[in-house]
Amino acid sequence: MFKKILIANRGEIALRIIRTCKEMGIKTVAVYSTADKDSLHVKFADEAVCIGKPQSSESYLNIPHLMAAAEITNADAIHPGYGFLAENARFAEICGEHGIKFIGPTPEMIRKMGDKMTAKETMIAAGVPVIPGSDGLLESLEQAKSLAKEMGLPVILKATAGGGGKGMRVVWEENELENAYNMAKTEARAAFNNDGIYMEKFVEEPRHIEIQVAGDQYGKVCHLSERDCSIQRRHQKLVEESPSPFMTPELREKMGEAAIKAASAINYESVGTIEFLVDKHRNFYFMEMNTRIQVEHGVTEEVINFDLIKEQIKIAAGIPISGKNYTPQMHAIECRINAEDPYNDFRPSPGKITVLHIPGGHGVRVDSHIYAGYVIPPYYDSMVAKIITIAQTREEAINTMERALSEFVIEGVKTTIPFHQQLMRNEDFRKGNFTTKFTEGFKLV
Ligand code: MV4
């Protein structure tokens, strides 16, 4: 087992990883920017190294600074968390070149799933259902036009280097295609320095349901059930839950099987997630694979009673997995609390937390790095806490969430708590009647 892990991240995920390391008897090294010198991850780690200025590019994304911190502290592994360098194949490669274990998949696996067309082709070859679309990247506007005619509108154009919604364009009318094609290519080139785009049939009002998977170094892969992440706004998830209210035992069996096929196709090592779009007929299609631990991993941990960070570290250390698949035994819902003003287009609201009370009690888990007097810096993600409530039924989990939200006091900054309070009372949400379009029609009063 590793003796010392450097955590190349900040905020709640850095704390989350430190907690599991402590329980496993592994020493921890925190890294921090000058803006984060008073952060809890710095205080809770065994050692801490300042790696630069507030801007991510000067600190949490600066590979030479991170490698220097790992070398001077003698860390034998690096955990990247999520975001920042978690899906940077070159970083994983550099860790390997320095004899430091990157706690995640190999650079080849990250690269393969990072290029969305390559990922899709890999899934087609493995027999995983994908959304009907172009055979590879689009080669010309003429090809795009004839393909759109053949498939029928609406279609969607996606950047192969994109993912998570960046650089997508939906085409509803034939006369929009030329402009959408040029815009998608231009945006992709500007954002990713890669203008490869492809076309798919646009699936209207889908659900986003993802399957958590784990694979070890010996080729064994299992699934750990689903999370429903349909409640999103501008491709930012707001609420996640497990089990999905749309799930049936038959669909879980089929999606779990497909997710295992998908991960096995690249001999996946580490924990990861297969994202699917699910249409109203319960047809499901591979969308992307996330080769990292995700923000919403705690939802799965609570419904199957399983520490995913511990599993991820064990896999990286070469310990085999059991290989058994999991079914949710409880219902868990997560609300992401962001320092944003939900009454003002979710505008970021950084600053000092003057008064704080964190909810607790039966069936409540709060993962957060904030404390009274903490100053939320403006440089990073605005998520300040995740509340997860756990109960036997979905209705009870929602009721517990309402209760927990009513106890949560954060003064000094605006937060998304009022949004979640209204959502928990919404009739369609309570019935499980929602798709990825839900927040578009949601008016906060
Ligand atoms: C789609 C789609 C409909 N049809 N692809 C959004 C993020 C990226 N992972 C892919 N996304 C979508 N791809 C086809 N062929 C709809 C979306 C989409 C979406 C997906 C999941 C969750 C929220 C979403 C919000 C808008 C669009």
Side-chain angles (χ1 to χ4, degrees), residues 12-31:
E12 71 83 23
I13 191 63
L15 271 185
R16 170 72 192 83
I17 297 161
I18 291 169
R19 286 176 170 149
T20 284
C21 287
K22 279 191 179 165
E23 292 172 10
M24 295 177 77
I26 300 168
K27 292 266 182 268
T28 53
V29 180
V31 294

Side-chain angles (χ1 to χ4, degrees), residues 119-129 257-258 260-266:
K120 192 170 174 178
E121 282 166 350
T122 306
M123 295 311 149
I124 294 168
V128 177
E257 211 41 54
I260 289 174
K261 248 194 219 174
S264 300
I266 58 165

